[in-house]
Amino acid sequence: MRLGARSLFIAVLRDITEGKRAEEALRLFEERFRLVLEGLKDHAVFLLSLDGRVVTWNAGAERIQGYAADEIVGQNFSCFYPDDEVKRGAPEHELAAARDGSPYEGEGWRVRKDGSRFWAITTLTALRNESGKVRGFALVIRDITERQEAQEALRQAQEKYHGVLEQAVIGSFETTPGGRFIRVNPALARLCGYESPAEMKKRITDIGQQLYVEPERRAQFVHLMREHTALSEFESRVYRKDGSIIWINETARAVRDVRGALLHYEGMVEDVTKRKAVEIQLLHDAFHDKLTGLPNRALCLDRVGQSIARAQRSPDYLFAVLLLDLDRFKVVNDSLGPTVGDRMLVEIARRLEQCLRPSDTVSRLGGDEFALLLDGIKDVGDTIHVAERVQQELAAPFVLGGQEVFAGASIGIALSATGYEQAEDVLRDADIAMHRAKTLGKSGHEMFDTVMHARAVKRLEIETDLRRAIEREEFRVFYQPIVSLETGEITGFEALVRWQHPERGLVSPAEFIPVVEETRLILPLGRWVLRESCRQLKEWQTRFPEHPPLTVAVNLSGRQFEQPDLIAHIRQILEETQLSPGRLKLEITESVIMENADSASALLLQIREMGIELAIDDFGTGYSSLSYLHRFPINALKIDRSFVSRIGAQGENAEIVRTIIALADNLCLDVVAEGVETAEQLAHLRALHCRHGQGYFFSKPIEAAAVESLLVRRPTW
């Protein structure tokens, strides 16, 4: 500090101190004041005389103002102000204000020695003695240019930010912590159907309750924002001004001050109604059948799983699953076409829905298979009642494609009382019961029990063993003689497959044939039987040339009959075995032919053109129309054993057999009576002029070695 300030301080202290004591006190004051001023590096501090001239200053003044030590003393402090401020008397005004009252403080532009400007906070304080008389002034100038520039940049950024938000196509907002809008941009107002942000702010005073369809979920979102500092995202439904509902995606955060206190919430809002509609549709498609609109297998399993969970929580809770498979739907689909078949499935779905309560579920599992979940039933009687009602509803005719179509259904029932942990197990057991219902007779219903499960397990074991049996060549072909009832001689054989199980011995065909049919193992097995039968007959022809020409009859299953390469396989086998086509007979059941009469007729014609004879097996047990019979290129009818076995002494069933034989004669067809077991039956058949017979009376099915012995003996009956 300059010693020239001594006179000012003497004036200030003259009234309170005298002599050396006063001088010492003044010296100590000056020293302390100098130290304080020098410590203020970022402040320019000046002491001014009563008329505003600079008396002393600190180092901060030299740095900020740019004046040397001897350049400022005696200058009026107005030199620190821009010319426009000086012209309007700002320095004098501030000096007068400080003299008349409390310290003056203000912001404005100040000037350095080099003429450059800087923004500063100016504080001007009057220095008074004990009597209150002003003896001088203290001037403090602080350079806040950087802060001012930052504030200006912030202001411009805010203006730009708000400008962008005002023009944005995505909605934005600010709200108070209590849930009132502070700011709404036009895009958000438009999104919600309001003409302006002001209207929206005025109309919606409680955002959560007035805007959101589910205010409780919005409250959860607000709590999430309050607990986290990062952005939070939320999808919800909101009301538009007209009351319609849209989906929005909201990204928002809580804004806090430096102490962490919540100031407000801010965020962005996007209309995602179209995307949400697509998502909802995709989710619906993932869990619903496209054709009928019913829940599909996945959703059915989910709801059955929920029922299992309820049953586990409450022992008194009961539910049931009914698995329904349509009878003869394939006939409708093949004869009238898939379009009509689809219409039928839709109509069936609607009828099934009418049979259930709102709490129940009907699902389409695929194809012509449906599942009904009955929730909260009282007892098994409720289930039986629903099954009977379903069968009654489906018994009524369907008018499709201009004609009436009838459909029945086989139903399997699984009750929760069995005790389940997995939904798949419930459907499995209902499926087992449904197949049991089909076996016992179509359009019926069966309740699952443990015996069925044991039977299903055994069936699975058989299927596994069958697959190995084909690989290990465990099958054998047995041959049952076909006898001319006119001459009593053997004219041919029917080839019958047998399974020589390594542990169980010969397995009954009734036990394994249905399994190979269902699992399609019949295809490789059927080709093998046909090849082996043709090979064996060719061998017998070579070994017994003196014997009258023999034939071999081989059964064709429905699965084989559906194969597009059936003709090629038959032709290949005949070429490989060198058997004459006229020596081969193929037997087909009525049901196989009638399931698709038109295509069956064309296929049978191709077989006949190869020189192979055709026979309808088990005639009279199916549902073939006699008006169609003459259209098929058939050579023979085989009378089912059920008619032959009941021909009694009083002529019981004789008329049925007589009618079949007469029909065959009129159509120039051969007739073979199956199941001949007694001499009495043989006599009746001969009296009716039946041409051929086979059965245990002549011989049971025997292996090839035994056939050779039979051919050597050439027995007659």
Side-chain angles (χ1 to χ4, degrees), residues 522-578:
I522 191 65
L523 300 179
L525 180 59
R527 286 193 292 268
W528 178 82
V529 171
L530 181 59
R531 179 179 289 104
E532 177 63 19
S533 302
C534 292
R535 183 202 63 78
Q536 187 63 70
L537 183 60
K538 181 64 176 179
E539 180 179 323
W540 288 334
Q541 287 178 336
T542 303
R543 293 186 59 185
F544 304 100
E546 72 284 358
H547 199 286
L550 298 170
T551 61
V552 62
V554 181
N555 290 282
L556 277 184
S557 72
R559 295 281 192 187
Q560 290 174 282
F561 202 67
E562 294 171 356
Q563 292 302 296
D565 55 356
L566 175 62
I567 299 297
H569 279 300
I570 296 174
R571 184 175 287 111
Q572 180 183 358
I573 289 172
L574 291 175
E575 291 176 356
E576 290 176 357
T577 60
Q578 295 299 303

Side-chain angles (χ1 to χ4, degrees), residues 153-175 182-187 197 201 255 264-268:
L154 177 60
R155 183 189 64 80
Q156 293 178 2
Q158 288 177 334
E159 289 182 356
K160 184 177 180 180
Y161 168 71
H162 288 297
V164 170
L165 292 181
E166 290 297 306
Q167 300 299 321
V169 296
I170 296 179
S172 69
F173 66 87
E174 289 181 9
T175 71
I182 300 172
R183 179 186 57 78
V184 174
N185 77 335
K201 290 170 63 177
V255 180
H264 60 267
Y265 299 112
E266 65 180 14
M268 310 291 286

Side-chain angles (χ1 to χ4, degrees), residues 437-459:
K438 277 189 175 295
T439 302
L440 295 177
K442 296 180 179 180
S443 298
H445 59 267
E446 285 293 318
M447 192 80 65
F448 174 81
D449 57 31
T450 54
V451 174
M452 289 184 186
H453 185 262
R455 189 182 296 117
V457 171
K458 183 178 180 181
R459 182 185 179 91

Side-chain angles (χ1 to χ4, degrees), residues 303-312 316-322 357 360 372-379 383 413-423 426:
R303 293 186 178 176
V304 173
Q306 295 177 28
S307 297
I308 291 174
R310 284 193 287 270
Q312 291 173 340
D316 296 332
Y317 176 83
L318 290 176
F319 71 88
V321 171
L322 283 67
R357 304 165 299 172
D360 300 329
L372 283 64
L373 171 61
L374 308 182
D375 253 327
I377 59 176
K378 295 179 181 179
D379 50 41
T383 306
I413 304 170
L415 286 173
S416 61
T418 303
Y420 292 101
E421 294 184 357
Q422 300 294 330
V426 184

Side-chain angles (χ1 to χ4, degrees), residues 93-140:
H93 172 74
E94 294 173 8
L95 202 63
R99 180 185 293 111
D100 296 338
S102 58
Y104 170 84
E105 183 173 316
E107 290 187 20
W109 291 109
R110 298 297 177 259
V111 181
R112 297 186 179 89
K113 174 186 174 182
D114 60 7
S116 61
R117 292 188 176 196
F118 63 96
W119 192 268
I121 296 177
T122 300
T123 304
L124 193 60
T125 306
L127 301 176
R128 305 174 186 274
N129 60 17
E130 289 183 353
S131 63
K133 186 178 180 179
V134 177
R135 306 306 301 271
F137 298 90
L139 174 64
V140 179

